[in-house]
Amino acid sequence: MAVSVTFAAVAGTFDTKSAELNYIADRLRAVGVDVRTLDLSTGPPKGSSTDISAAEVAACHPQGAQAVLGQSDRGNAVSAMAKAFENYTRKADWIGGMIGAGGSGGTALIAPAMRSLPVGIPKVLVSTVASGNVAPYVGPSDISMVYSVSDIQGLNRISSRILGNAAHSLAGMMQRAGNVPEANLRPAVGLTMFGVTTVCVSHVADILEAVVDPIVFHATGTGGQSMERLVDSGMIEAVIDLTTTEVADMIVGGVFPATEDRMGAVIRSKVPYVGSCGALDMVNFGAREEVPAAFKDRKFHVHNPQVTLMRTTPTENTLFGEWIANRLNQMQGPVRFLLPEGGVSAIDAPGQPFHDPEADEALFLAIETGVETTESRKVIRVPMNLNTIEFAEAALAEYHSIAGGN
């Protein structure tokens, strides 16, 4: 008897990968997982039988199946099928997990639909491109990518082992998905952290753990997106966004940028929000030799061989402050934004390499003058460095003032 209460979706182009995809489906069924197969082929049907046909998926394209099937340009057809499959997935309440396999085209076809699934729904993608840069495929989601080693073409001693492992990993995730620790059923609060804000954010998380489930996100661009996706999904009920460094990378051109939708989930959801200026003293680059030549005369701090930090200027900080103020003004829920007068990171303190009170003050003034303060939206100066226990306590006090008993 099958033990899953929902189905595993086995998705891919069955016109070219039917043997491999059916092998995955068979391995899942063998361990008690209910399966539905979905065909994402864009070419003429080749007789492969699936539970959901390519035509049924293609019909979910905004312009109908004709925008997907029968196109002469394969690239356009694959892009259209990816959109149709994403739309199909958003409405398919039977999906308890998803697995797919493909090359570069198949990966691009399947990944958007996987990203549209809620965080926590198991997702496994076997791909020939999984040993390279997978950020465009994974994004802010929890997709598990498995490198196929050999091409996904036929079943042999390598491919059958890799595909079988992937199938069993999905089965394990689906069959254990209901085992959520009781402590994790408390209200969830999202926090943002960077290495240079760890002392502060860790203290906040440690204190909050007694009453909520604190979830810390690494503010590397994708980290902020992941947190906000969970806010949009209703899985995070308040945000303590003390590390807004992703805004600096977005505006100046660093490697950990936010998107223009940063803080958008807070605006849409109206959840309680406590924010600050954590690590806005820096823009992040890779190794020192990878820093763009346009910045050659700037102040740098080598964090490690792979990460080089560049000190932000008063002019840049004014831009950060104006951007943040605009976002805060759009928030209709309770807002507290704290300005750390003693510096915005561990290395922006007296005697530290990025200490620059003029740059910090430009940031603070832009926020203070740009924010339309109300009873529920306030900007508060705190006479400490952000990366201190004292600042953490100030942030906690403001959180409790707007979040009630939690």
Side-chain angles (χ1 to χ4, degrees):
M1 178 182 294
V3 298
S4 58
V5 295
T6 51
F7 292 82
V10 178
T13 52
F14 276 79
D15 60 344
T16 60
K17 306 285 189 237
S18 61
E20 299 84 352
L21 293 165
N22 281 320
Y23 179 82
I24 291 173
D26 288 342
R27 300 286 72 72
L28 287 165
R29 294 187 187 105
V31 293
V33 176
D34 291 328
V35 173
R36 286 181 180 172
T37 52
L38 296 98
D39 189 9
L40 306 179
S41 306
T42 56
K46 293 188 177 180
S48 177
S49 176
T50 56
D51 296 303
I52 292 91
S53 68
E56 186 176 346
V57 177
C60 295
H61 191 278
Q63 277 79 54
Q66 67 274 11
V68 180
L69 303 176
Q71 288 205 39
S72 58
D73 187 297
R74 182 178 181 274
N76 288 340
V78 168
S79 296
M81 180 61 92
K83 171 55 70 176
F85 184 36
E86 183 178 357
N87 289 343
Y88 176 92
T89 300
R90 291 183 188 279
K91 299 174 183 177
D93 59 3
W94 56 266
I95 297 176
M98 183 180 289
I99 187 168
S104 58
T107 303
L109 182 57
I110 298 165
M114 286 190 171
R115 291 197 300 270
S116 74
L117 288 169
V119 170
I121 297 292
K123 314 162 187 70
V124 178
L125 181 51
V126 185
S127 171
T128 61
V129 299
S131 67
N133 177 19
V134 299
Y137 306 109
V138 176
S141 73
D142 57 340
I143 299 172
S144 299
M145 291 193 71
V146 178
Y147 179 48
S148 62
V149 182
S150 65
D151 200 355
I152 302 172
Q153 185 60 48
L155 294 170
N156 52 59
R157 68 182 66 187
I158 302 299
S159 64
S160 60
R161 183 68 177 268
I162 300 296
L163 295 172
N165 286 345
H168 293 143
S169 69
L170 184 77
M173 287 187 273
M174 289 183 66
Q175 291 170 339
R176 302 295 293 176
N179 297 330
V180 179
E182 188 69 27
N184 292 346
L185 300 178
R186 295 171 298 185
V189 176
L191 302 92
T192 51
M193 188 170 80
F194 223 40
V196 292
T197 65
T198 298
V199 169
C200 172
V201 179
S202 294
H203 183 72
V204 171
D206 289 346
I207 297 299
L208 286 179
E209 197 168 20
V211 289
V212 302
D213 186 18
I215 305 174
V216 179
F217 297 85
H218 196 194
T220 57
T222 305
Q225 293 175 51
S226 297
M227 179 183 71
E228 298 213 25
R229 180 175 180 184
L230 292 175
V231 173
D232 272 330
S233 70
M235 297 177 71
I236 286 180
E237 300 173 35
V239 171
I240 303 179
D241 189 13
L242 301 180
T243 310
T244 47
T245 186
E246 296 163 323
V247 173
D249 280 32
M250 176 184 68
I251 290 175
V252 179
V255 297
F256 295 146
T259 69
E260 290 289 343
D261 193 47
R262 185 68 165 85
M263 306 180 190
V266 178
I267 294 168
R268 290 184 288 273
S269 65
K270 302 179 183 179
V271 298
Y273 178 87
V274 176
S276 191
C277 311
L280 283 173
D281 55 328
M282 61 191 64
V283 175
N284 296 269
F285 295 105
R288 182 66 179 84
E289 61 271 16
E290 297 174 7
V291 177
F295 299 122
K296 62 182 178 66
D297 296 326
R298 298 284 291 273
K299 180 185 289 187
F300 295 99
H301 176 71
V302 178
H303 184 63
N304 61 48
Q306 286 76 43
V307 177
T308 303
L309 312 176
M310 181 179 76
R311 208 330 169 170
T312 54
T313 66
T315 299
E316 289 166 348
N317 275 271
T318 297
L319 295 175
F320 306 158
E322 291 172 347
W323 193 92
I324 289 170
N326 177 263
R327 301 302 276 173
L328 296 178
N329 286 337
Q330 296 178 58
M331 296 180 185
Q332 299 304 307
V335 174
R336 299 292 185 269
F337 200 87
L338 281 59
L339 307 179
E341 293 180 310
V344 301
S345 81
I347 61 173
D348 177 31
Q352 295 300 312
F354 279 5
H355 184 52
D356 188 341
E358 180 187 358
D360 291 345
E361 187 59 24
L363 173 66
F364 301 158
L365 284 175
I367 294 171
E368 281 183 321
T369 58
V371 170
E372 301 165 3
T373 58
T374 66
E375 187 60 31
S376 65
R377 184 192 304 122
K378 297 180 180 181
V379 175
I380 301 162
R381 284 189 178 245
V382 180
M384 299 109 172
N385 182 277
L386 182 141
N387 198 47
T388 61
I389 298 298
E390 293 79 8
F391 187 87
E393 291 290 341
L396 280 164
E398 295 304 328
Y399 167 76
H400 288 303
S401 76
I402 62 175
N406 292 333

